[in-house]
Amino acid sequence: MVRKSFLFKGIVHRFIAGDTLAEALPVCEALTAKGFLTSLDYLGENTKSEDEAIAARNTYIEMLHTIAKSPCAKATNISIKLTQCGLDQGEEFAKKNYFEVLEAAQELGNFVRVDMEGSAYTKTTIEIIECAWQHYKNTGTVLQTYLHRTPQDVQTMIKLQARTRLVKGAYLEPEEVAYKDKSKVDEAYVECGKELMQKAFYPAFATHDEKIINTLKAFAQEEKIDKSRYEFQMLFGIRRDLQESLLKEGYNVRVYVPFGVSWYPYFTRRLAERPANIWFIVKSLVKG
Ligand code: FDA
């Protein structure tokens, strides 16, 4: 119903920049004109066939070429998913697609971030990043602080000096692998965040949690870590006030800008993070 109903279109576009690259690019251009950095994300995950994965790879490459010709070229990279590169069709197949995207990005002087997905893919994703790193330095990944394994993965990324985005984690995970208690996830965020801040290459702190952001800002100040050595990241349409205020204070702030018609899983994760969003939807529907 959500997918098909026109009633949801306005609400979905609060979080998603458009159905097409042609709609999403002007959003990146407007953000970068204000001083933000952006990461463009083509929505979609878990391809069902090799053809679907190849089409996604081609779209990623097209995004890189289109960005290169745009005024936002210097401030915009892309975020991709390995399950959209065909990980369910085979590890070697997905790796080949990912490496082709990296090759195109390298030629164009751009960077490719590999989003982290459900825990069934964490180990493979880290291994693929380690393998990619032997050939390409224009890539990095994401670590989720709800996972028990993340402190070890932080050390792996520090050793590689691959750019790491730290998030709390957005998937429903069993308690054998992930903390269920929000305070534990937040505690782990601060611990991993401080470790990355001190030892990693240009880490990205992706959260809308103002308390955590303030803790990390204070830590960087105490440790005399310059603002140019890390960035904050937030999702398109969420806490725009906080995005603006960090930018005004002179921090690097990157906005994650998703586009595409396969928005349903991304959209439901955003609802799950904040039940108040569901009330927002109900109210909008009642108001018509
Ligand atoms: P938390 O959920 O505690 O929220 C703190 C505050 O932020 C809330 O009180 C509210 O004000 C605001 N807020 C948070 N979510 C909101 C929402 N949906 N709507 C409105 N307000 C909201 N995850 C993952 O598993 N793999 C990945 O690759 C990524 N990539 C990624 C990139 C970027 C740039 C960001 C910002 C986030 C991700 N995530 C992710 C998602 C991440 O794991 C997490 O689910 C969300 O960021 C929400 O968690 P917060 O850290 O914002 O804290």
Side-chain angles (χ1 to χ4, degrees):
M1 186 185 82
V2 170
R3 244 189 272 245
K4 295 205 174 107
S5 172
F6 75 95
L7 287 172
F8 284 90
K9 218 162 166 80
I11 299 154
V12 168
H13 282 119
R14 186 181 159 209
F15 299 110
I16 288 140
D19 288 348
T20 62
L21 178 56
E23 286 170 4
L25 199 69
V27 173
C28 291
E29 289 171 355
L31 285 164
T32 56
K34 283 187 176 176
F36 288 106
L37 303 162
T38 55
S39 191
L40 197 53
D41 165 52
Y42 171 51
L43 291 164
E45 44 207 86
N46 296 96
T47 53
K48 300 278 182 290
S49 68
E50 292 197 352
D51 285 350
E52 224 182 282
I54 289 166
R57 176 205 64 195
N58 292 345
T59 302
Y60 291 152
I61 294 174
E62 184 199 342
M63 285 158 68
L64 288 164
H65 283 280
T66 310
I67 290 168
K69 287 184 240 136
S70 139
C72 66
K74 286 208 165 66
T76 302
N77 62 34
I78 67 168
S79 290
I80 72 167
K81 287 189 171 58
L82 289 181
T83 69
Q84 203 178 11
C85 289
L87 198 51
D88 293 343
Q89 283 70 54
E91 197 174 316
E92 286 311 309
F93 172 68
K95 219 153 95 176
K96 184 170 174 292
N97 289 328
Y98 165 44
F99 284 15
E100 284 176 27
V101 177
L102 288 181
E103 193 70 43
Q106 188 165 272
E107 277 166 23
L108 297 164
N110 210 334
F111 174 84
V112 179
R113 176 85 60 181
V114 176
D115 285 346
M116 191 57 85
E117 304 180 66
S119 62
Y121 301 106
T122 314
K123 182 169 173 283
T124 312
T125 302
I126 302 280
E127 285 166 1
I128 292 178
I129 295 290
E130 286 181 289
C131 176
W133 196 253
Q134 293 169 26
H135 312 280
Y136 304 97
K137 303 291 184 239
N138 59 330
T139 194
T141 192
V142 180
L143 298 178
Q144 301 150 320
T145 67
Y146 63 11
L147 293 185
H148 302 316
R149 59 172 287 156
T150 291
Q152 286 106 278
D153 293 334
V154 163
Q155 294 311 320
T156 304
M157 290 303 139
I158 288 172
K159 224 181 258 165
L160 285 187
Q161 289 289 290
R163 279 164 63 172
T164 302
R165 173 198 298 153
L166 193 65
V167 300
K168 291 188 188 179
Y171 296 80
L172 193 62
E173 298 290 357
E175 62 186 333
E176 299 80 64
V177 300
Y179 297 117
K180 289 284 160 198
D181 180 352
K182 182 172 160 32
S183 66
K184 286 247 185 329
V185 179
D186 292 357
E187 228 170 82
Y189 196 110
V190 171
E191 269 170 42
C192 294
K194 287 181 174 174
E195 188 72 3
L196 288 167
M197 183 80 90
Q198 278 183 313
K199 301 178 186 161
F201 174 67
Y202 197 66
F205 304 103
T207 180
H208 315 92
D209 188 325
E210 213 166 338
K211 199 166 151 220
I212 289 184
I213 290 173
N214 287 337
T215 305
L216 291 175
K217 278 160 65 178
F219 179 74
Q221 224 164 3
E222 273 161 39
E223 298 291 310
K224 301 196 175 15
I225 297 167
D226 193 79
K227 286 173 181 165
S228 62
R229 284 176 48 203
Y230 58 95
E231 67 184 30
F232 289 110
Q233 295 189 354
M234 285 183 224
L235 301 175
F236 174 71
I238 299 181
R239 289 300 314 264
R240 273 172 287 204
D241 57 330
L242 187 54
Q243 298 176 11
E244 300 268 357
S245 68
L246 286 170
L247 190 68
K248 272 202 199 110
E249 288 169 50
Y251 290 97
N252 295 320
V253 183
R254 191 178 300 274
V255 182
Y256 183 100
V257 179
F259 77 94
V261 290
S262 301
W263 46 260
Y264 188 70
Y266 178 87
F267 179 68
T268 50
R269 285 198 289 275
R270 302 296 75 83
L271 296 188
E273 277 155 11
R274 192 160 178 259
N277 286 339
I278 296 170
W279 286 112
F280 172 74
I281 288 177
V282 172
K283 271 196 281 175
S284 316
L285 291 179
V286 170
K287 275 195 217 148

